[in-house]
Amino acid sequence: MLKVALTVAMGALNRTESRGAHFREDYPTRNDRDWLNRTLACWREGDDLPTVDYDPLDVMQMELPPGFRGYGTKNIIEHPDAARRQADVDEMRGAKLDRHAVQSYLLPFKHLLR
């Protein structure tokens, strides 16, 4: 459990932004432009701390692009592709297509099944 706690603390320390429940007084802004990533961590043999890396997210592949969710203050550095992706999503959802066609467009996955 200590390794898990150190991993969470290391990820939070490196992430210079506030996001949801992860609030930092020294970085109060949610920063989608620079921090829209998955945090990846692993422990290498003999290390005292985890190795932390980041996997950037592709906004244009997201079904629900990042945006203001209505809680707290709108204190966000927006991702440059978020508005364009939201417009794509809104257009597709407004089209007269069944839900399966909309889902296939917004989150294609069949190519991953091979």
Side-chain angles (χ1 to χ4, degrees), residues 27-82:
Y27 295 96
T29 303
R30 187 179 102 189
N31 186 347
D32 289 344
R33 184 191 64 216
D34 300 320
W35 280 105
L36 197 60
N37 309 304
R38 288 182 189 94
T39 302
L40 307 172
C42 68
W43 285 83
R44 297 212 165 89
E45 187 73 32
D47 283 355
D48 293 332
L49 293 172
T51 299
V52 178
D53 200 4
Y54 302 94
D55 181 27
L57 297 173
D58 183 357
V59 171
M60 299 309 290
Q61 298 297 317
M62 298 173 83
E63 182 177 12
L64 183 62
F68 182 60
R69 301 290 180 239
Y71 53 85
T73 305
K74 186 175 181 181
N75 192 9
I76 303 170
I77 298 172
E78 301 213 1
H79 191 281
D81 293 332

Side-chain angles (χ1 to χ4, degrees), residues 101-114:
V102 172
Q103 185 66 36
S104 292
Y105 174 77
L106 294 178
L107 273 176
F109 66 90
K110 291 187 179 178
H111 66 284
L112 299 172
L113 300 176
R114 297 186 182 134

Side-chain angles (χ1 to χ4, degrees), residues 12-24:
L13 182 63
N14 291 347
R15 190 175 274 269
T16 53
E17 68 157 357
S18 289
R19 182 173 296 273
H22 301 282
F23 180 79
R24 290 185 59 161

